[in-house]
Amino acid sequence: MLNRWVALQHRDFRLLWLGLLVSFTGSQMQLTAVNWQVFDLLRAQDVSFNLLGSNVHLAADALGLGLLGLARVLPIFVFALVGGALADSFDRRAVMLWSLLASMAASLLLAAMALAGRADVIAIYLLTALGAAAAALGNPARQALVPNLVPKAHFTNAVSLNSLSLQFSQIFGPALAGILIGHIDIGWIYAINGAGFVAALLALAAMRHRDSITNKVPKVDLGAIRDGFVFVFSNRMITSTMLLDFFATFFSSARTMLPIIASELLHLDAAGFGVLSTAQAVGSAVAGIIVSLRKEIHHQGAVLLISVAVYGLATALFGFSTSFILSYFFFALTGTADTVSTVIRNIIRQMNTPDEMRGRMVGVNQIFFQGGPQLGELEAGLVAAMFGVPFAVVSGGVATVIVAGIVARKYHELRDYKAISVALA
């Protein structure tokens, strides 16, 4: 198996991969803990109002959790574009270092507030927004850096391994958080995440790679950001994958509703919530391992569209389920389909973008890739507050299947796209 993971043979990529694996795991622990803490605080506050006859407490909890999505998405619209321009103007390692330090600060502030017994929903929203802003600044640099750390022949494998590291973190992070929530102060989970950023910082410090972009952006301004938009929307292949990103994740964002699904529909405790939270990542990890062992993914366009449709269908079935086993299976299936589509989308975009434009392309993409699910969480919260959680999840899944069909019909370039086979060394 290891000889198939050829990207790990390259020292700098291996360092980055291992450092981010630790950091991602801590971030997933924090994501799970924040969702649960906000849900718990809202229940304790006994907020009561009624929307179209829905359960008053459930409506308030759903809306409050949906607002977490808003707190995460608003910074992305501003800082992702700036981060993209920074990645094409300065050393990408340095941009990542500063963004990781800011993310660490946000986590440690959350930890200090929780451990001092001063947890407040508004403060959690603000610190969540700060962490999202820091990540939005650093993500374009991180993704634009990877093609420079491995040969082109190993890039597909590198993308698959990056996706796999995220899936592993999404398995172990929520599971650990679910176990720890019942045994220690939730503030210590935020502190663990803060400490996890050290691994990524050390990995970046040890890397030998230095940027060698020949056409760096001379300065970060509106003109540089505009050039990124012009490039993205003049390339129909990239545009079509971003539209799929945004609308699929907008309509099928069920993750923030998990505390309500686990507590009210499946009657699980915090540990059960943590286990359910791993389902999507388990499915993703299975797909990630299989994809990372392949030399190439052929008929990439068709596979991408099918995987998005499966993602929507599995989401709809997840919304119908009242059985833990079936819910776990369908939620895992969403992860499997999403991983396949994510790997293909990243390959298509990176291979169709020149190095000097990669940071800005990723910045624009980040609005679609991260803005979609975060706005989707707000949309899911509003729909769930009015019509109930099952309706919000099922209707979102159906809408995703429809979106996949529309994109398949309109963008024949994507539908017919086939990979240029590159044999791995």
Side-chain angles (χ1 to χ4, degrees), residues 295-318:
K295 292 184 177 182
E296 189 55 87
I297 302 173
H298 302 289
H299 305 285
Q300 291 182 355
V303 174
L304 171 59
L305 289 163
I306 292 170
S307 64
V308 172
V310 171
Y311 175 69
L313 178 60
T315 298
L317 294 172
F318 175 68

Side-chain angles (χ1 to χ4, degrees), residues 191-213:
I192 291 171
N193 181 42
F197 286 110
V198 174
L201 290 168
L202 291 175
L204 286 171
M207 285 172 55
R208 296 169 182 161
H209 171 79
R210 297 296 183 270
D211 276 339
S212 58
I213 302 174

Side-chain angles (χ1 to χ4, degrees), residues 367-386:
I367 293 177
F368 288 78
F369 179 66
Q370 294 187 309
Q374 304 304 343
L375 282 177
E377 288 174 2
L378 177 61
E379 178 267 344
L382 291 171
V383 175
M386 291 187 289

